[in-house]
Amino acid sequence: MGRLELGVGIRGGQSVASRQFHEGALRVLRPHYLDESGQVCYVVVNPGGAYLGADLFVIDVEVGDCASLLLTTQSATKVYRTPGSFAEQRMNVRLGEGARLELMPDQLIAYREASYRQRTCVTLRPSSSLVMAEVVTPGWSPDGAAFRYEEVRLRNEVHVETGQGTELLALDNLLIRPPLHDITGLGFMEGYSHLGSLVVVDARVDQALADELHLLTAGREALTGISLTRTVAGTTGLVLRSLSNSTDELNRLLRSCTDLLRHRWYGQEPLDLRKH
């Protein structure tokens, strides 16, 4: 089991850690700043290198009023065989007034006979800004087939907190079970093997932005669709889903979208995490 708690606040015009705790197989590297915006970047590390059966990882993140956090991982999340059980990650996120979170992990790789469940619950204010990216890829198997894992279940819940209470803005539930269905065909993976997702919640999200992102993703070696959520207290969500046969292609596609948002909304340069 691993547990990580991270709180971020504002001090001297920069976002800094206000609370930090870890135990077991999770921790973060020292904070760093990629530009002059004051946004702090933390890298989550799993010293064990992979998720195995019955592993449970719990992450709690709170970004205080007007603070900005970029959270990423040191490397891909690898899920190996999980006989008799499943590996699980639970993440709870809370964003204050004017708070911003970019959640940009490396890809999730599910190997042969792997079962993985991930649940991310976000509670934010109408003035908060959230960007979450995810890429799911099949791991190597002896026969070279793409879908030898047992299950990948990804569930995202986004709630908006207002003066009248908390309302559900979006529930995004993805379930892939290769042993039970032919997921290569229509209605599933459409002949592709890799999946990319992007969730954006911000008061500046609208149909015009969705149309612009759709044009931005056109002409790539991927099949992409974009949907808008309902609007709660003036804030709206956007969900992008893309299918491809290449991790790099999906990373480039998602990065082009997030770079557009970073530049337009915050005047920041394209993201360069410099991991390699």
Side-chain angles (χ1 to χ4, degrees):
M1 179 175 177
R3 184 175 186 88
L4 173 65
E5 298 178 8
L6 178 64
V8 173
I10 283 284
R11 185 174 65 205
Q14 281 193 324
S15 297
V16 297
S18 57
R19 177 173 55 88
Q20 187 175 327
F21 170 81
H22 68 83
E23 66 178 352
L26 280 182
R27 61 200 63 193
V28 290
L29 301 180
R30 64 179 182 83
H32 53 285
Y33 298 84
L34 304 180
D35 53 31
E36 302 301 320
S37 67
Q39 181 186 48
V40 65
C41 176
Y42 274 97
V43 179
V44 179
V45 178
N46 175 4
Y51 290 9
L52 302 173
D55 282 355
L56 173 62
F57 297 87
V58 179
I59 302 174
D60 291 295
V61 176
E62 183 169 1
V63 185
D65 294 350
C66 300
S68 180
L69 170 64
L70 169 62
L71 191 63
T72 185
T73 55
Q74 187 181 42
S75 60
T77 298
K78 302 178 180 69
V79 185
Y80 293 140
R81 295 179 61 207
T82 57
S85 186
F86 54 85
E88 183 178 8
Q89 176 179 291
R90 303 173 191 166
M91 175 178 281
N92 293 295
V93 176
R94 187 174 184 85
L95 305 182
E97 292 284 1
R100 175 189 175 199
L101 172 64
E102 286 183 282
L103 185 58
M104 307 289 289
D106 282 358
Q107 66 268 22
L108 167 69
I109 306 175
Y111 287 87
R112 181 169 59 103
E113 299 180 30
S115 292
Y116 177 72
R117 298 181 183 181
Q118 177 178 295
R119 180 169 180 172
T120 303
C121 297
V122 181
T123 303
L124 48 75
R125 303 287 294 175
S127 60
S128 307
S129 184
L130 171 70
V131 175
M132 298 193 303
E134 186 90 57
V135 173
V136 179
T137 74
W140 176 88
S141 63
D143 60 2
F147 297 105
R148 290 308 187 201
Y149 54 84
E150 295 292 318
E151 175 185 281
V152 170
R153 182 194 300 257
L154 306 177
R155 181 183 176 95
N156 296 319
E157 298 179 23
V158 181
H159 301 262
V160 180
E161 189 175 47
T162 68
Q164 288 72 46
T166 301
E167 290 190 51
L168 178 67
L169 176 73
L171 175 58
D172 182 31
N173 194 40
L174 173 69
L175 176 60
I176 306 174
R177 284 177 172 167
L180 299 184
H181 307 283
D182 177 14
I183 64 170
T184 62
L186 294 175
F188 285 90
M189 297 296 288
E190 307 278 348
Y192 295 96
S193 56
H194 295 50
L195 171 73
S197 296
L198 181 69
V199 177
V200 182
V201 180
D202 192 285
R204 293 162 287 193
V205 170
D206 57 15
Q207 186 62 55
L209 177 63
D211 293 341
E212 187 172 3
L213 293 181
H214 191 269
L215 288 175
L216 187 63
T217 60
R220 297 178 179 270
E221 296 179 3
L223 177 64
T224 302
I226 299 177
S227 302
L228 293 175
T229 71
R230 70 188 184 117
T231 298
V232 174
T235 194
T236 307
L238 177 152
V239 179
L240 178 151
R241 195 88 82 206
S242 190
L243 301 174
S244 180
N245 290 315
S246 166
T247 300
D248 289 341
E249 181 67 17
L250 288 177
N251 282 333
R252 285 191 294 267
L253 185 151
L254 296 179
R255 189 62 54 83
S256 68
C257 295
T258 57
D259 285 345
L260 183 148
L261 299 177
R262 287 169 61 85
H263 178 71
R264 176 169 302 174
W265 290 349
Y266 303 101
Q268 291 176 286
E269 295 298 317
L271 185 62
D272 182 8
L273 293 172
R274 302 188 294 272
K275 296 183 184 179
H276 305 293

